[in-house]
């Protein structure tokens, strides 16, 4: 192992201590979450030290030759160390909050176990320096987070967990196929060597698209977003905060690696990410407006915000690193979105664990007379909506300015900028829809009254422990702090990430975040939100008995999973089964033909041998007597059986005199031999034999590669 072993410790320590959290949770109630919080805090402290080293230009590295065959490379530069720190912070806060949330829940120790494994894998993924290393951590992260979704073990949770697992496994297999197709050892090459290797290689588009498929599935990008709106409503609130705020960023990290390193300068690839981002951004906002479930609305909001980030990733690739505004906005909005969803999902968790409901008709009025919850939710809402003086305004302004800069660049070159001008309008309108659906949640929770349970809600004074209030309040305060002084804090985040993105700093630093142009862009979105909110009130939230209601008006038949993916998987399964049946029939016929030929050949040989035997018996073997026939089995089984029967007879006369052994091994071995012969014939006549041989060969091949 070469380099700083602390990088490996930060990734493997949570995994190694995960069983301890499980054991403590089995012995003491609440012990699992507090152990997880302690491990997360220790991991965060180590990551902060790595970030401090990266901030002064001394990024720590690690090279572990032979790890899983191709070796493990890790590097803690500014961007990677920054986001690893964000992961450590989110795990620490959600673990502290988990003591309240899981106070009356089951299998808390299981949640803590897989939470720490996922933490280690996530940190390892963000610190990885090769696509192969990233893939290893990516797969562990995806599989270890599956129990989060299935935690409640309800039918809805198991169904959503099944969808999550399908997407994770299929995405991982497609990504692995893409890595196999990369030539010149590019999968195991450090990120900074990929541009030079790619310049010498042709035909990288297909493997890049396959790897993008896997990362896009985890990010929740259209059309692989189906798991996101279904997993969040059924997962525990701390898990939802991590799924939305952190695990989706693992997919975004992969997109950045592909766009800035492997496919650097490939505008078609970057443009694909940009266009998928526009669709994801608008679709998520529309789904959130229609949603009437608190956590599902926040999940759809995550889908929309990932679209904003993908637009930034696409712009960085399209401008080949020269659009510093887009680079700043991408990193800033990644960090901001993690903070927003940490605060908002934990606020939703407060509602869920006290009201035991998530439907807006049931939880309306819960937040009244709860000032801490009110302030935290308001900070998250205004931040994600891009309101000035909150951090989301700064990052969205940078993304918007980066888009306008690229449009101006296209115009100066005489190129067609119409698609990007249309995307700019979608950007503004999606920002307006963000404030619209967040206003719906805010008014429902904190201003409207519940016609049946308002008195019970108002009486809930101890709805959250002091520790959780402090943790949640500090995270909400960060949103305000970053928004009030963006030139200090937000610009520092952008500067840390520029080397990783390979981008130049914006030419007009310090950035005038509160310039008239940026404020005008925010005003456009806020104005659009008023229009959307009015339409929402008129068409989607009618009044009944003088009160606003929240009916679910989204057509069920438009569920992409049920409409397209599950029927497609069923069709592929049926087609595959049909192919297997056809192949099995062909194999049976071939086996029957071979058997017939073999029997004919055996008959010819038998007759020939009989003739030879008769001739020999009449000549050179005329005086030799034939050997006596074997009563059962063949001569080998008969001889071994006689030997074992003799040994049993000795035992029955000595130590087993009172309980003699009755088994006759001559017959047992003969019967076993006949059964083995028949089973072998049956197996070799089916396609399963070929598949089994293929699987064994694959296992031996993988073992050989790992041994080398």
């Amino acid at each position: 192992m070469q380099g700083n072993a602390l990088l490996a410790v930060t990734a493997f320590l949570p995994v190694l201590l995960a069983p301890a959290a499980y054991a403590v949770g089995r012995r003491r109630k609440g012990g699992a979450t507090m152990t997880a919080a302690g491990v997360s805090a220790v991991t965060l402290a180590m990551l902060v030290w790595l970030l401090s080293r990266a901030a002064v230009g001394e990024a720590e590295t690690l090279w572990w030759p032979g790890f899983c065959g191709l070796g493990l490379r890790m590097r803690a530069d500014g961007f990677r160390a920054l986001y690893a720190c964000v992961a450590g912070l989110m795990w620490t806060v959600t673990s502290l909050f988990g003591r309240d949330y899981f106070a009356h829940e089951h299998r808390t120790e299981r949640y803590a176990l897989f939470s720490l494994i996922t933490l280690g894998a996530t940190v390892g993924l963000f610190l990885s320096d090769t696509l192969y290393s990233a893939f290893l951590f990516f797969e562990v992260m995806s599989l270890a987070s599956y129990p989060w979704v299935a935690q409640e073990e309800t039918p809805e949770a198991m169904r959503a967990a099944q969808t999550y697992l399908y997407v994770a496994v299929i995405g991982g297999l497609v990504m692995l196929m893409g890595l196999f197709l990369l030539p010149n050892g590019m999968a195991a090459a450090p990120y900074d060597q990929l541009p030079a290797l790619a310049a010498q290689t042709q035909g990288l588009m297909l493997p890049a698209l396959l790897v993008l498929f896997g990362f896009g599935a985890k990010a929740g990008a259209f059309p692989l977003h189906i798991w996101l709106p279904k997993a969040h409503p059924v997962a525990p609130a701390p898990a939802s905060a991590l799924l939305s705020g952190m695990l989706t960023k693992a997919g975004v990290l992969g997109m950045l690696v592909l766009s800035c390193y492997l496919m650097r300068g490939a505008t078609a690839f970057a443009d694909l990410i940009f266009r998928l981002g526009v669709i994801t951004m608008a679709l998520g906002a529309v789904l959130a407006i229609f949603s009437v479930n608190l956590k599902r609305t926040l999940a759809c909001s995550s889908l929309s915000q990932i679209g904003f980030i993908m637009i930034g990733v696409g712009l960085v690739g399209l401008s080949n690193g020269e659009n510093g505004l887009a680079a700043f906005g991408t990193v800033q909005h990644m960090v901001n979105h993690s903070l927003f969803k940490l605060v908002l999902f934990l606020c939703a968790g407060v509602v869920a664990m006290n009201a035991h409901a998530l439907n807006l008709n049931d939880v309306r009025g819960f937040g009244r007379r709860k000032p801490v919850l009110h302030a935290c939710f308001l900070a998250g809402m205004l931040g994600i909506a891009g309101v000035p003086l909150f951090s989301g305004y700064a990052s969205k302004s940078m993304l918007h300015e980066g888009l306008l800069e690229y449009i101006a660049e296209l115009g100066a070159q005489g190129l067609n900028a119409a698609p990007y001008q249309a995307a700019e309008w979608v950007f503004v309108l999606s920002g307006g829809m963000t404030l619209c659906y967040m206003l719906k949640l805010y008014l429902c929770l904190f201003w409207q009254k519940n016609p049946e349970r308002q008195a019970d809600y108002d009486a809930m004074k101890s709805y959250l422990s002091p520790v959780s209030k402090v943790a949640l309040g500090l995270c909400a305060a960060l949103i305000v702090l970053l928004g009030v002084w963006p030139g200090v804090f937000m610009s520092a985040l952008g500067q840390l990430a520029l080397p990783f993105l390979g981008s130049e700093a914006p030419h007009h630093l310090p950035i005038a975040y509160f310039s008239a142009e940026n404020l005008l862009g925010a005003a456009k979105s806020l104005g659009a939100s008023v229009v959307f909110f009015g339409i929402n009130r008129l068409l989607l939230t009618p009044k009944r008995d003088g009160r606003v209601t929240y009916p679910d008006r989204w057509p069920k038949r438009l569920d992409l999973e049920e409409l397209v993916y599950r029927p497609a998987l069923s069709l592929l399964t049926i087609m595959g089964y049909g192919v297997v049946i056809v192949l099995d029939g062909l194999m049976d016929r071939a086996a029957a033909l071979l058997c017939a030929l073999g029997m004919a050949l055996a008959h010819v040989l038998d007759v020939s041998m009989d003739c030879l035997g008769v001739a020999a018996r009449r000549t050179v073997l005329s005086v030799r007597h034939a050997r006596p026939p074997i009563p059962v089995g063949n001569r080998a089984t008969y001889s071994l059986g006689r030997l074992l029967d003799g040994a049993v007879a000795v035992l029955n006369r000595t130590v087993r005199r009172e309980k003699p052994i009755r088994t006759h091994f001559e017959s047992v071995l003969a019967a076993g031999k006949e059964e083995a012969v028949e089973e072998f014939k049956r197996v070799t006549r089916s396609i399963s034999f070929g598949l089994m041989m293929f699987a064994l060969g694959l296992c031996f091949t993988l073992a050989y590669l790992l041994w080398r």
Side-chain angles (χ1 to χ4, degrees):
M1 185 183 296
Q2 304 170 15
N4 194 336
L6 184 62
L7 276 75
V9 172
T10 57
F12 292 110
L13 181 66
V15 178
L16 295 175
L17 294 181
Y22 182 87
V24 172
R26 298 285 290 180
R27 292 177 176 271
R28 185 162 60 91
K29 189 174 181 63
T33 53
M34 296 312 296
T35 303
V39 174
S40 302
V42 171
T43 305
L44 174 60
M46 292 187 291
L47 292 170
V48 169
W49 184 84
L50 291 174
L51 178 61
S52 66
R53 297 281 295 170
V56 295
E58 299 180 1
E60 300 292 339
T61 59
L62 172 71
W63 165 230
W64 189 344
F67 183 87
C68 289
L70 297 180
L72 177 68
R73 285 189 182 273
M74 304 177 75
R75 180 178 175 85
D77 57 15
F79 173 74
R80 282 176 275 192
L82 168 66
Y83 231 87
C85 283
V86 175
L89 173 65
M90 293 190 69
W91 254 269
T92 303
V93 173
T94 54
S95 298
L96 290 173
F97 182 84
R99 186 175 184 182
D100 289 349
Y101 190 88
F102 292 109
H104 305 290
E105 299 290 334
H106 70 296
R107 304 306 301 269
T108 306
E109 66 278 2
R110 179 181 66 191
Y111 172 83
L113 170 71
F114 287 103
S115 179
L116 287 178
I117 295 175
T118 309
L119 169 61
T122 305
V123 170
L125 171 63
F126 277 102
L127 296 181
S128 294
D129 198 33
T130 67
L131 287 170
Y132 178 72
S133 302
F135 172 77
L136 295 177
F137 288 115
F138 183 87
E139 286 300 288
V140 175
M141 179 191 71
S142 297
L143 297 178
S145 55
Y146 161 78
W148 288 355
V149 186
Q151 174 70 20
E152 302 296 337
E153 299 180 9
T154 61
E156 296 81 8
M158 300 310 294
R159 175 82 169 183
Q162 182 188 61
T163 301
Y164 180 81
L165 190 62
Y166 277 166
V167 174
V169 171
I170 294 174
L173 290 174
V174 173
M175 184 192 301
L176 181 61
M177 185 184 302
L179 295 181
F180 281 156
L181 293 177
L182 286 175
N184 301 332
M186 297 176 74
Y191 289 156
D192 56 6
Q193 295 181 13
L194 289 179
L197 292 173
Q200 304 168 7
T201 308
Q202 299 294 326
L204 288 179
M205 182 60 76
L206 177 59
L209 290 175
L210 294 176
V211 177
L212 177 64
F213 183 98
F215 283 124
K218 183 57 62 183
F222 175 86
L224 306 172
H225 64 282
I226 55 173
W227 66 270
L228 212 150
K230 296 187 177 183
H232 289 300
V234 298
S240 295
L242 296 174
L243 284 167
S244 176
M246 184 50 57
L247 266 64
T248 54
K249 305 307 180 303
V252 175
L253 170 71
M255 294 181 189
L256 285 171
V257 172
L258 292 174
S259 180
C260 299
Y261 291 92
L262 183 64
M263 302 298 288
R264 187 176 182 86
T267 56
F269 185 81
D271 194 51
L272 173 64
I273 295 178
F274 178 88
R275 293 171 189 264
L276 289 177
V278 173
I279 298 173
T280 304
M281 174 181 63
L283 176 64
V286 172
L287 291 175
I289 286 178
F290 276 87
S291 175
V292 295
N293 180 290
L294 175 57
K295 287 177 67 178
R296 178 181 168 83
T297 305
L298 295 177
C300 295
S301 169
S302 295
L303 178 63
S304 180
Q305 300 306 309
I306 290 298
F308 280 97
I309 297 170
M310 288 176 64
I311 286 177
V313 175
L315 288 173
V316 171
L318 285 169
S319 59
N320 200 20
E322 296 180 0
N323 194 331
L325 290 171
F328 262 47
T330 301
V331 176
Q332 291 170 357
H333 205 59
M334 286 177 68
V335 175
N336 278 335
H337 182 246
S338 295
L339 285 175
F340 300 152
K341 287 308 158 67
L342 177 63
V343 171
L344 292 173
F345 269 113
L346 293 189
C347 288
V350 174
V351 177
M353 69 184 184
N354 288 281
H356 305 290
L358 288 171
N359 188 283
L360 297 185
N361 295 297
D362 299 325
V363 301
R364 69 169 71 205
F366 175 85
R368 293 170 65 90
R369 301 184 181 181
K370 296 177 178 61
V372 175
L373 182 66
H374 192 156
C376 293
F377 190 92
L378 186 62
M381 180 195 79
L382 296 177
I384 200 170
V387 175
L389 299 181
F390 294 86
S391 60
Y393 162 79
S395 56
K396 285 190 174 181
S397 294
M398 293 302 98
L399 288 172
H400 187 227
E401 287 297 305
L403 178 55
L404 293 177
E405 182 176 295
Y406 185 68
I407 292 172
E409 180 182 346
L410 291 178
Q413 297 176 3
L415 300 176
N416 181 23
Y420 303 97
Q421 290 171 337
E424 193 260 338
W425 277 102
V426 177
F427 187 102
V428 172
L429 294 177
S430 297
M433 286 190 279
T434 302
L435 183 56
C436 173
Y437 60 70
M438 291 306 302
L439 267 177
K440 176 182 68 175
L441 298 182
Y442 174 69
L443 294 176
C444 174
L445 289 172
F446 299 100
W447 292 97
Q448 296 174 5
K449 291 185 177 181
N450 195 294
E452 296 156 357
R453 303 180 61 184
Q454 192 60 52
D456 295 335
Y457 290 161
D458 291 343
M460 293 179 181
K461 302 299 182 183
S462 58
Y463 58 90
L464 199 59
S465 69
V467 173
S468 296
K469 285 183 178 179
V470 171
L472 185 58
L474 289 176
C475 293
L478 273 177
I479 298 173
V480 180
L481 180 67
L482 295 176
V484 173
W485 290 285
V488 177
F489 299 108
M490 300 298 286
S491 294
L493 296 179
Q495 291 284 8
L496 275 174
L498 285 180
F500 179 80
L501 300 180
S503 296
E504 298 179 359
H507 299 300
H508 42 291
L509 281 175
I511 298 174
Y513 287 96
F514 298 103
S515 65
E517 189 174 9
N518 288 336
L519 290 172
L520 179 61
K524 289 179 181 178
S525 290
L526 297 179
S529 69
V530 175
V531 177
F532 285 124
F533 190 74
I535 297 174
N536 180 69
R537 276 302 180 94
L538 290 174
L539 301 180
L540 302 180
T541 53
K543 287 189 176 182
R544 182 178 300 171
D545 299 329
R547 298 180 181 275
V548 174
T549 59
Y550 298 94
D552 188 358
R553 297 190 182 279
W554 184 257
K556 301 296 183 185
R557 62 181 179 274
L558 293 183
D559 187 331
L560 192 60
E561 178 185 356
E562 303 296 336
L563 184 65
V564 177
Y565 291 128
R566 285 189 179 269
L569 284 176
S570 300
L571 179 61
L572 289 174
T573 303
I574 294 172
M575 292 174 61
Y577 185 68
V579 170
V580 168
I581 291 176
V582 171
L583 291 177
D584 190 47
L586 292 175
M587 292 293 291
D588 287 344
R589 292 183 180 181
L593 179 60
L594 289 174
C595 288
L597 292 173
M599 291 176 65
L601 180 61
H603 182 69
V604 172
L605 292 175
D606 184 51
V607 172
S608 301
M609 292 302 294
D610 286 344
C611 294
L612 289 173
V614 170
R617 195 176 293 119
R618 291 178 178 178
T619 55
V620 296
L621 299 178
S622 57
V623 296
R624 187 173 180 176
H625 297 287
R627 300 175 69 179
I630 302 301
V632 291
N634 57 23
R635 195 167 297 279
T637 61
Y638 180 73
S639 300
L640 182 59
R642 288 290 298 267
L643 179 63
L644 293 175
D645 286 343
V648 167
V650 173
L651 291 175
N652 289 342
R653 292 193 188 99
T654 55
V655 297
R656 301 284 298 191
R657 185 176 299 173
E658 296 182 359
K659 295 182 179 180
I661 301 173
R662 305 295 185 185
T663 305
H664 296 285
F665 286 96
E666 298 173 12
S667 302
V668 170
L669 291 176
K673 174 254 181 187
E674 294 295 330
E675 184 177 353
V677 170
E678 291 299 322
E679 181 66 19
F680 181 74
K681 289 180 179 179
R682 187 186 67 81
V683 170
T684 54
R685 283 198 303 266
S686 74
I687 194 171
S688 302
F689 179 75
L691 294 175
M692 183 174 65
M693 292 297 100
F694 172 76
L696 288 174
L698 181 61
C699 291
F700 283 122
T701 302
L702 291 176
Y704 171 73
L705 292 175
L706 291 176
W707 179 77
R708 287 189 65 190

